[in-house]
Amino acid sequence: MKSPHHLEGCYTIGDLRHLARNRLPRAIFEFFDGGAEDEITLRANAAAFDRWAWCPHVLRDVSQVDLGSELFGLPLGLPMAIAPTGAGGFGHPDAELGLARAAAKHRIPYSLSSSATTRIETIAEQAGGRLWFQAYVLKDQAHFWRLIDRARVCGYEALIITVDLPVGGKRYRDFHNHFSIPFRMTARNLWDFLKHPAWLLRILKNGMPVMENLREMAKTSRPLAMANEIASTVGKGYDAAFDWDRLKEVRDRWPGRLIVKGVSRGDDAHRLVQVGCDAMVVSNHGGRQLDGARASLMALPEVVQSVAGRVPVWMDGGVRRGGDVGKALALGAQGVLLGRATLYGAIAAGESGANRALDILREELQRTLQLCGAAQLKELNAELLMPSDR
Ligand code: FNR
């Protein structure tokens, strides 16, 4: 297959991934693309969707399809939201704001990562739409609460607490590429950059990105001689002692909606409902944390069963097609977070790339529904799927 060099030549999320790979230095692309250790979970997440086959209905009126959904009593244009992903500015200066604006255009929520390269306030002022703020639990509790307060003051609708990384996972692609944050220039990186002049010019014009919302904390943390990857720098600031009691404290102090991201078991899911979270996301961090963890789609039915409709269950991990979204919904998810799928578009081409990714997914989801004989999302259910014998 010919690899696309322009957005107009991108028809699938796979095409957008190729475009991003062509446009970005290798070390940068692989930071976004890669997973932990042997990348078993990274691959399993995507492969899990192929383990289910559609059993479509025919002879139904699917001339009009409604892809609208709702969450927390408010309408959604699609059963999707943008997942929090850090360090977007290393790919494209507009990656984060572009994703947020594309999300607003498609009437879905955007989640800003605490490791983003754009300030909490900038997104609130310039993006529009429904905004969620994702916080990692930091050892520096004062800073953690300051971030959450800033999100509250800016009117973010929901707080996402990510619970699947008490410590940072190890992504060996980053080690081999000498990719670290703060960025360290090596001869190989320099050569890698010079081969991508358009990317380099954008970076030179906008300045080397920094994790804007963690700046203050970075000043107090000791610079590492061998800052091999994000996990060795910012990751050192995560609080591995965070537990159920502390989550309860967050619940009590945050007045808005609380979403917990990173659950993968029914018993934990049950307890999350008891703690008072408003929604949860079945996730293994896109295979960037515990390698060997089961695919999100495999964990989903157990969580859905345990939660039994008390709060919405969403999922993420490996979604690369609109049909994947359909399968997640058929297995009980109320919606999916989009990680790399929209990120590839945004790091390749900013806001237009993010819009392209969402257009592709919307169109694919619509066609999947029509070909399955479903005119509405609520018609997607497990009876439309069977384990694939491929
Ligand atoms: C992430 N993810 C993530 N999650 C989070 O809670 N906070 C974060 O800052 C980040 N940062 C981040 C950076 C990059 C480059 C990636 C690829 C992922 C995980 C993300 O929210 C989501 O769970 C996964 O991306 C979902 O998997 P897919 O869709 O990328 O396969």
Side-chain angles (χ1 to χ4, degrees):
M1 190 186 68
K2 203 161 164 281
S3 150
H5 286 272
H6 300 285
L7 202 53
E8 296 68 39
C10 293
Y11 303 104
T12 66
I13 298 299
D15 289 341
L16 289 172
R17 177 174 180 271
H18 281 298
L19 187 69
R21 195 168 59 184
N22 288 336
R23 288 189 172 177
L24 301 188
R26 179 186 169 136
I28 305 292
F29 173 75
E30 295 211 326
F31 162 74
F32 292 107
D33 194 53
E37 300 184 8
D38 294 316
E39 303 192 335
I40 294 167
T41 299
L42 173 70
R43 289 189 297 277
N45 275 344
F49 291 96
D50 299 339
R51 294 174 65 177
W52 292 99
W54 292 112
C55 317
H57 282 291
V58 292
L59 295 170
R60 292 179 165 193
D61 179 357
V62 289
S63 53
Q64 303 292 326
V65 174
D66 182 6
L67 297 182
S69 183
E70 71 81 38
L71 184 65
F72 307 144
L74 295 172
L76 294 173
L78 296 167
M80 307 175 199
I82 306 292
T85 53
F90 283 89
H92 192 290
D94 295 336
E96 288 159 358
L97 192 55
L99 274 167
R101 287 182 167 152
K105 185 174 169 208
H106 285 80
R107 294 186 297 119
I108 64 172
Y110 170 75
S111 318
L112 180 72
S113 159
S114 46
S115 310
T117 51
T118 315
R119 285 172 59 78
I120 295 172
E121 292 76 11
T122 308
I123 293 287
E125 283 155 18
Q126 299 183 25
R130 285 173 82 170
L131 298 176
W132 298 347
F133 177 67
Q134 175 267 330
Y136 284 132
V137 184
L138 304 171
K139 275 188 201 142
D140 181 343
Q141 287 196 38
H143 190 76
F144 173 70
W145 286 111
R146 267 198 304 277
L147 287 180
I148 291 179
D149 253 10
R150 281 168 56 191
R152 184 184 52 73
V153 169
C154 289
Y156 280 67
E157 173 192 16
L159 172 66
I160 303 177
I161 297 287
T162 302
V163 293
D164 57 12
L165 80 169
V167 295
K170 286 248 177 284
R171 292 188 303 276
Y172 288 108
R173 289 204 227 178
D174 293 349
F175 282 73
H176 295 139
N177 291 327
H178 301 168
F179 182 83
S180 67
I181 297 177
F183 200 78
R184 267 187 328 143
M185 197 61 84
T186 64
R188 214 175 75 182
N189 280 336
L190 186 62
W191 178 232
D192 195 9
F193 287 8
L194 290 171
K195 284 191 296 181
H196 296 86
W199 175 88
L200 185 56
L201 278 175
R202 273 199 300 269
I203 290 283
L204 290 176
K205 196 167 145 231
N206 291 277
M208 188 58 89
V210 288
M211 292 179 173
E212 288 288 351
N213 302 302
L214 299 176
R215 246 178 209 271
E216 233 174 285
M217 201 185 70
K219 265 189 233 146
T220 55
S221 66
R222 188 172 56 91
L224 293 157
M226 268 296 288
N228 262 320
E229 50 133 11
I230 194 167
S232 310
T233 53
V234 178
K236 288 262 181 237
Y238 300 152
D239 188 354
F242 188 77
D243 60 8
W244 289 98
D245 291 339
R246 300 261 306 279
L247 180 66
K248 182 80 178 81
E249 197 189 324
V250 174
R251 169 66 290 180
D252 293 342
R253 279 180 70 169
W254 168 255
R257 302 290 185 173
L258 179 68
I259 302 171
V260 175
K261 171 174 177 282
V263 64
S264 67
R265 301 172 52 99
D267 49 3
D268 284 348
H270 176 71
R271 212 166 158 187
L272 283 175
V273 179
Q274 291 178 326
V275 169
C277 80
D278 296 298
M280 66 184 79
V281 184
V282 178
S283 173
N284 50 44
H285 220 101
R288 290 165 81 84
Q289 288 303 122
L290 175 63
D291 196 31
R294 63 178 162 166
S296 297
L297 194 72
M298 306 304 285
L300 176 67
E302 176 184 320
V303 172
V304 167
Q305 193 186 16
S306 164
V307 170
R310 288 172 291 170
V311 298
V313 175
W314 283 49
M315 67 82 65
D316 74 18
V319 174
R320 302 291 181 267
R321 290 270 185 195
D324 296 343
V325 179
K327 287 180 182 175
L329 265 56
L331 292 173
Q334 190 174 319
V336 303
L337 296 189
L338 303 167
R340 294 179 186 81
T342 37
L343 195 53
Y344 291 137
I347 57 177
E351 186 175 340
S352 37
N355 272 312
R356 184 82 172 190
L358 285 170
D359 287 340
I360 289 169
L361 293 170
R362 179 182 36 74
E363 199 269 329
E364 286 181 350
L365 177 61
Q366 174 171 332
R367 195 154 14 84
T368 298
L369 257 79
Q370 289 172 305
L371 293 174
C372 282
Q376 290 186 15
L377 295 175
K378 63 173 189 248
E379 291 172 44
L380 295 177
N381 59 44
E383 284 174 16
L384 277 174
L385 289 175
M386 63 177 287
S388 171
D389 50 11
R390 274 193 305 140

